[in-house]
Amino acid sequence: MDPAKLARRRPDSGLTLVEILVATAVLAIAIVIALMIYDQSRRSFKQGENAVEQQQAVRIAFDRLNADLRMAGYNYNPDGNVASVDEQIEAAYDGAIVIRGDFDGQEEPALVGPAAASVSVGNDEIVIYALSKPEWISSGTGGQTLTFSADVQEEPRDGEVETVSVPNVALVQTAAEAPYTLYRITLNADESTWGSGGFITRTPLVENIRSMTYRYFGQTQTQINTLDLGSATDDIGGAETAASKATRLGIRRVNVSLIGLTRDPDMNYVDPADAEPSTRRYRKFELVGDVTPRNLGMKGIRDLIGDSSPPSQPGAPTLLAGHCGGLYVSWPPNDAEEGVTSYRVLIGTTAGSPTSSRSSSTNAAYVSGLTTGTTYYVAITALDAAGNESIRSSERNAAVTNTTVPSAPATVSATDSQPDAVNVTWTAVTTNTAALAGDPQSPTIRDLAGYRIYRGTSANFSPAAGNRIVDETVSKPSPTPSAPDTTVVNCRDYFYKVRAVDSCGTESDDAPGALGEAGRAESEVEPATPQNVQAFITGVSRVTVSWDVVNENIKGQPIRIDDYEVIGRRCLILDTDCQNDPSGYTPVGTATNGNLSLVDTGASGIDVLRSWYYRVRAKDDCPNYSSWSELATARCTFLGSLTWVTPNDGDPVSGVTPIRVAAYSAGVETYADASLTIVHGASGATETRILSPRVVGDTTYFEYDWLATPPGQYTLTITVPNAGGCTKSSSIQLNAAPTVACCLSFNPGVAGAARFLSCTNETTDGNDQECRDLNYKLWNNACLTSVRVDSLTIAWTNVKAPQLTRPALLEEVFFGGSSVWVPGNAATPASTTFSSRPPLVPYTRNAANTVDVTYRFADEMSREAGGKHQPVDTTFNFTLLDSAGAPTGITGTCGVPNGFSFSVPDPLSTTTP
């Protein structure tokens, strides 16, 4: 085709490849931008939805809280009863509040006696607002206990206050524990539930609460409380003291702050005011309310119209002690025409000063809640239907004592109520073992505190504090008492004994029969796998393996596990096949009695290349086994370096050789006793020594004086453990020779002319001195072991001025004052080999402990004025001795020419590195 025509047709042929690629790239960029805009919009919507939803939930709960606060004190004392024990605010904490008011508008049962014809605030009219966590409530652990006193136990109420404890609430609020759940808590009007968990009703209002705080203000708008959320106590609180009650009575305004958290964290947000990692990415919002309840400080007015004549003075009371914490009080009744409808029992610990009272519709009352061992003073007043009160009776006093013993529970039984639990039941105790004279209801028990349950592993076990599983704080009095034991191991037989106990701690006998009641829980469900298994090197060849308690099975049901099996094996750190192969693991042991750790004392060979690996599983008595846990590794870290200070690798040695090894870690590690192994190459004989560390600054030294015998090649290996039980080793090779250099010194510590042989047994001839005895000191300061002198050669020249004469004859040689050789006028040179009783030169580091050597001549020697000595040359041939004094076969020679010794290193002057 003509190229010109082809050129003219090209524009009509479509897009080029480059144009297509450019268009595709533009489209891709547009799509990415659209997706980013969509994702951002979705996230913004999600964040907004998250915040709005939680704000609405918190707002609803906050409105409910404020509505109840506004009703605080409403109709709480409609009759204006001055003796009422009720408070409008029963407890005022920094992080919780307890209020009383007529919240349902229904009339409650009357108090005992006509002092108040009716009330409208029963147990269910006490409302508590507090924070808690669901897991605290389900487990019974966590948080603090909110305590206050109020008239709540009996129905109808009797005007006596009891201590109410609401456990597992957040009186101490921390960011680390947040978020909390806000609960509205009420009390049960059913007397049978008193003292049990069923007495308290918790209603969750909203989750994800960061904190809740209350500020209390008085009539003058001064804040009363200190607002310390880091403490569970406060100067207001719930104490039933006159001062605390007066402080709460003065509250007129309540300021409440509720801080909520969003349901989910915002990963693009960090709260600059929150340093807690667990909450700093949550957005927070605070709701603050300032409530002034109109009814605080107000109550009903007593009707004073009508009878104003009080009854006559009652007769003096009779006090009967014997029940724990209580007195039975009785008195003569007033005449019927006086219209007495009730009596007040006035009680105090000081004569004439009652501090509390009890109401009674008859002329007798049992007064509980007293302190055993304390003397109480009691008087009586009478009241009529108009509320007129008589003057006090004469006062009587008595000390509260406890002389009664609860009867033993009957018909104890233990049944498998559910897997992993045994339910213990028994007949309620209603009497004491004997009647108390003077108490018309005796032997009915008045001071029963509850029950104690004991568990053993044999039928004839003896109850003791160590095997008590439930006490009276948990097992309260009940018409049908029971207690589940959820701390049992499945398929294990347990035996139970139950005792009643009064409020003084006096226990009953066991239920009839000497043997405990048997019970067992059965299950086929395997325990959960142990978690957080860890292994730590705790010594040489010693590893401690630990794990968390297993307290539930794989279905999440609570169980008890006493036994855990541990297996282990040693592998190279990089050998995952070895680590994961279950067939190579061997049993290490079983931890029993609920122990959560086990020590493996056979974990040898741990170093920087090899570790021990462990797995753990739980088991019950059925047996049901859990799965094996994840691997736990005992790794070795040794940061220091080992250096042979002396000798060095390949050095020739002979005789006693000082070994010195330095371990250095710049002070980071400390080291335990090291092991030095010395192996003779030819015979394989092995010597092992344990060397204690000597620390100098940042360096630790291990030292040993080794007698290198027999001759030959040796391999020396030192193994040093650090404080964590990890070790490092280092080896050198040495060649031991059969001979040693001279290691004896002559006249130590002196120099110059004083080193000459001293001359004794002297005479004077003109200017010269003549003597028969030449003396010097021999010191073994470098042989490092005792030396036996095998032979001795002495050569001398007699210089007797002014002319030479014949040499003097050697007559006798002394070592340490003992004669060792009598040559009998020998001429120079004289030699001897000691075949019996050779002289010994002991090893000593003290220069004062030397051997005195004396040469005695038959003829006099001469010494010139000015100190020139007679020339005497001495040669020693010696053998080193071992620690037992036996010859080692290592020999040496020392020559002492012209009265001087060879230069030998002085250990006393050597500076230790």
Side-chain angles (χ1 to χ4, degrees):
M1 181 177 291
D2 185 357
K5 294 181 179 181
L6 181 61
R8 287 194 299 271
R9 294 178 58 187
R10 185 169 296 156
D12 299 329
S13 62
L15 296 174
T16 66
L17 177 60
V18 173
E19 291 171 333
I20 293 173
L21 292 176
V22 170
T24 302
V26 171
L27 178 61
I29 293 173
I31 292 173
V32 170
I33 293 174
L35 289 175
M36 292 176 62
I37 293 173
Y38 168 76
D39 183 65
Q40 183 64 34
S41 299
R42 183 190 61 80
R43 290 168 58 188
S44 297
F45 175 78
K46 184 64 176 178
Q47 292 171 359
E49 181 186 34
N50 182 9
V52 169
E53 178 184 353
Q54 183 63 10
Q55 286 181 10
Q56 290 175 342
V58 175
R59 168 61 70 182
I60 293 171
F62 188 72
D63 289 345
R64 178 64 186 274
L65 187 158
N66 278 269
D68 283 347
L69 281 179
R70 293 189 188 97
M71 293 291 291
Y74 171 62
N75 206 21
Y76 94 108
N77 187 359
D79 299 310
N81 181 11
V82 295
S84 173
V85 297
D86 293 342
E87 294 182 75
Q88 295 172 320
I89 298 180
E90 295 282 3
Y93 286 91
D94 294 341
I97 192 168
V98 182
I99 56 178
R100 184 187 283 274
D102 186 2
F103 295 105
D104 58 9
Q106 297 181 3
E107 185 175 291
E108 307 294 339
L111 288 168
V112 175
S118 65
V119 295
S120 53
V121 221
N123 288 359
D124 54 350
E125 305 289 358
I126 293 179
V127 175
I128 305 165
Y129 279 93
L131 300 182
S132 184
K133 297 172 78 70
E135 58 267 28
W136 292 353
I137 299 172
S138 61
S139 66
T141 59
Q144 296 79 42
T145 298
L146 186 153
T147 304
F148 65 95
S149 297
D151 179 12
V152 296
Q153 180 176 356
E154 290 80 13
E155 180 66 22
R157 297 186 292 119
D158 60 358
E160 297 184 18
V161 297
E162 291 83 29
T163 298
V164 182
S165 297
V166 182
N168 312 122
V169 297
L171 297 181
V172 176
Q173 300 172 20
T174 65
E177 287 184 337
Y180 301 99
T181 297
L182 173 59
Y183 286 87
R184 184 180 190 268
I185 304 172
T186 58
L187 303 182
N188 197 338
D190 183 356
E191 182 179 353
S192 66
T193 64
W194 164 252
S196 67
F199 189 68
I200 299 171
T201 301
R202 305 174 192 250
T203 304
L205 298 183
V206 65
E207 301 175 333
N208 296 320
I209 298 300
R210 168 59 183 83
S211 65
M212 178 175 66
T213 56
Y214 292 90
R215 293 176 172 85
Y216 306 100
F217 297 87
Q219 190 72 42
T220 61
Q221 302 305 310
T222 301
Q223 184 171 329
I224 298 174
N225 60 325
T226 57
L227 199 62
D228 179 12
L229 289 180
S231 172
T233 61
D234 192 82
D235 53 358
I236 302 177
E240 191 73 2
T241 63
S244 296
K245 293 174 68 174
T247 302
R248 292 192 292 271
L249 183 63
I251 296 174
R252 293 295 181 268
R253 179 165 62 90
V254 180
N255 178 278
V256 57
S257 168
L258 193 66
I259 299 178
L261 303 173
T262 54
R263 184 179 58 191
D264 301 310
D266 185 346
M267 303 312 294
N268 296 318
Y269 169 77
V270 174
D271 186 350
D274 190 350
E276 174 58 39
S278 61
T279 59
R280 62 197 309 245
R281 290 192 177 276
Y282 287 81
R283 294 186 180 270
K284 305 170 184 66
F285 41 88
E286 181 179 15
L287 299 177
V288 178
D290 203 61
V291 181
T292 303
R294 297 179 59 186
N295 299 286
L296 290 185
M298 301 178 66
K299 61 183 178 182
I301 299 176
R302 300 183 64 187
D303 184 6
L304 301 179
I305 300 176
D307 182 13
S308 60
S309 177
S312 62
Q313 180 186 27
T318 299
L319 309 183
L320 175 64
H323 297 293
C324 176
L327 291 172
Y328 179 73
V329 184
S330 60
W331 58 92
N334 286 43
D335 291 339
E337 60 268 17
E338 295 187 32
V340 172
T341 56
S342 66
Y343 297 90
R344 289 180 66 203
V345 181
L346 307 177
I347 309 159
T349 56
T350 303
S353 300
T355 56
S356 63
S357 65
R358 304 288 191 274
S359 295
S360 177
S361 59
T362 66
N363 62 318
Y366 177 71
V367 181
S368 61
L370 307 181
T371 301
T372 302
T374 298
T375 296
Y376 288 87
Y377 296 81
V378 180
I380 309 297
T381 62
L383 294 93
D384 59 19
N388 299 309
E389 188 170 4
S390 73
I391 63 174
R392 299 177 188 172
S393 70
S394 298
E395 196 172 60
R396 296 289 185 267
N397 68 82
V400 178
T401 59
N402 184 40
T403 60
T404 58
V405 178
S407 300
T411 61
V412 177
S413 64
T415 58
D416 179 7
S417 60
Q418 61 184 29
D420 317 307
V422 174
N423 193 47
V424 184
T425 60
W426 60 94
T427 302
V429 172
T430 58
T431 63
N432 288 312
T433 56
L436 182 63
D439 183 351
Q441 294 187 20
S442 188
T444 298
I445 188 168
R446 294 183 181 271
D447 52 7
L448 180 65
Y451 301 91
R452 295 176 180 176
I453 303 176
Y454 298 87
R455 184 182 71 192
T457 55
S458 62
N460 59 351
F461 78 97
S462 298
N467 54 37
R468 183 190 304 155
I469 61 171
V470 173
D471 63 17
E472 61 273 19
T473 63
V474 176
S475 182
K476 298 286 187 178
S478 169
T480 56
S482 65
D485 183 7
T486 59
T487 62
V488 297
V489 177
N490 283 319
C491 301
R492 180 177 298 180
D493 288 328
Y494 293 94
F495 298 87
Y496 298 89
K497 294 183 180 182
V498 182
R499 292 179 175 179
V501 60
D502 65 21
S503 54
C504 283
T506 304
E507 286 188 344
S508 71
D509 290 334
D510 300 326
L515 302 181
E517 181 69 20
R520 152 194 287 239
E522 303 278 354
S523 178
E524 296 180 355
V525 182
E526 69 181 58
T529 305
Q531 302 296 317
N532 193 30
V533 180
Q534 301 182 63
F536 303 96
I537 299 172
T538 53
V540 179
S541 299
R542 181 184 178 94
V543 172
T544 298
V545 185
S546 64
W547 53 90
D548 289 345
V549 64
V550 173
N551 51 21
E552 61 181 29
N553 57 27
I554 58 174
K555 293 183 177 180
Q557 299 165 330
I559 62 172
R560 177 184 175 88
I561 293 295
D562 268 3
D563 299 337
Y564 299 86
E565 294 183 350
V566 181
I567 57 176
R569 73 179 304 185
R570 188 176 73 128
C571 300
L572 288 169
I573 292 175
L574 299 179
D575 190 351
T576 56
D577 290 339
C578 171
Q579 299 163 19
N580 295 321
D581 180 11
S583 64
Y585 282 80
T586 58
V588 174
T590 300
T592 59
N593 298 321
N595 286 324
L596 300 177
S597 65
L598 186 73
V599 178
D600 181 8
T601 58
S604 60
I606 299 178
D607 53 32
V608 294
L609 297 178
R610 298 167 182 83
S611 296
W612 273 82
Y613 296 85
Y614 297 90
R615 295 180 188 267
V616 181
R617 70 177 179 183
K619 76 180 187 74
D620 58 22
D621 286 12
C622 296
N624 298 305
Y625 293 94
S626 74
S627 300
W628 287 107
S629 69
E630 296 293 331
L631 285 176
T633 308
R635 296 195 182 276
C636 185
T637 56
F638 193 103
L639 303 178
S641 60
L642 301 182
T643 303
W644 290 82
V645 179
T646 181
N648 294 316
D649 186 30
D651 281 355
V653 296
S654 60
V656 178
T657 303
I659 305 295
R660 181 178 296 156
V661 180
Y664 178 76
S665 67
V668 175
E669 289 184 324
T670 57
Y671 302 102
D673 291 350
S675 173
L676 175 66
T677 302
I678 304 171
V679 181
H680 188 259
S683 65
T686 301
E687 174 186 359
T688 300
R689 296 289 177 178
I690 303 301
L691 310 184
S692 298
R694 181 172 66 88
V695 180
V696 180
D698 288 343
T699 304
T700 301
Y701 291 95
F702 299 93
E703 298 161 325
Y704 174 60
D705 292 336
W706 169 50
L707 183 59
T709 183
Q713 186 179 68
Y714 287 86
T715 299
L716 279 66
T717 302
I718 190 166
T719 301
V720 179
N722 60 18
C726 294
T727 63
K728 180 176 285 188
S729 299
S730 180
S731 300
I732 60 173
Q733 288 190 336
L734 302 174
N735 294 304
T739 60
V740 296
C742 180
C743 50
L744 300 174
S745 297
F746 172 79
N747 280 352
V750 297
R755 289 192 67 109
F756 298 162
L757 297 179
S758 60
C759 184
T760 57
N761 198 2
E762 298 178 312
T763 59
T764 303
D765 182 9
N767 292 329
D768 297 330
Q769 289 180 313
E770 298 177 352
C771 58
R772 292 182 58 198
D773 294 352
L774 294 180
N775 305 284
Y776 62 92
K777 296 180 181 295
L778 196 59
W779 183 28
N780 176 2
N781 69 320
C783 298
L784 305 182
T785 184
S786 296
V787 168
R788 182 189 71 189
V789 178
D790 296 322
S791 63
L792 181 65
T793 299
I794 305 173
W796 66 92
T797 301
N798 186 18
V799 181
K800 195 169 185 180
Q803 72 278 352
L804 294 175
T805 62
R806 65 179 179 81
L809 302 178
L810 180 63
E811 184 177 79
E812 195 169 3
V813 176
F814 298 87
F815 266 75
S818 298
S819 175
V820 297
W821 178 28
V822 183
N825 296 330
T828 184
S831 298
T832 186
T833 297
F834 297 103
S835 57
S836 63
R837 293 193 305 163
L840 301 179
V841 185
Y843 167 67
T844 174
R845 309 256 322 167
N846 189 345
N849 296 330
T850 57
V851 174
D852 292 325
V853 181
T854 300
Y855 299 160
R856 177 164 292 170
F857 291 90
D859 297 319
E860 294 178 337
M861 301 283 284
S862 175
R863 184 171 63 151
E864 297 179 357
K868 183 178 180 180
H869 66 87
Q870 303 295 330
V872 178
D873 297 335
T874 304
T875 301
F876 294 99
N877 292 316
F878 60 85
T879 297
L880 299 184
L881 305 180
D882 62 18
S883 59
T888 64
I890 302 174
T891 62
T893 300
C894 280
V896 188
N898 205 24
F900 288 99
S901 69
F902 290 128
S903 176
V904 177
D906 182 356
L908 291 179
S909 63
T910 300
T911 300
T912 302

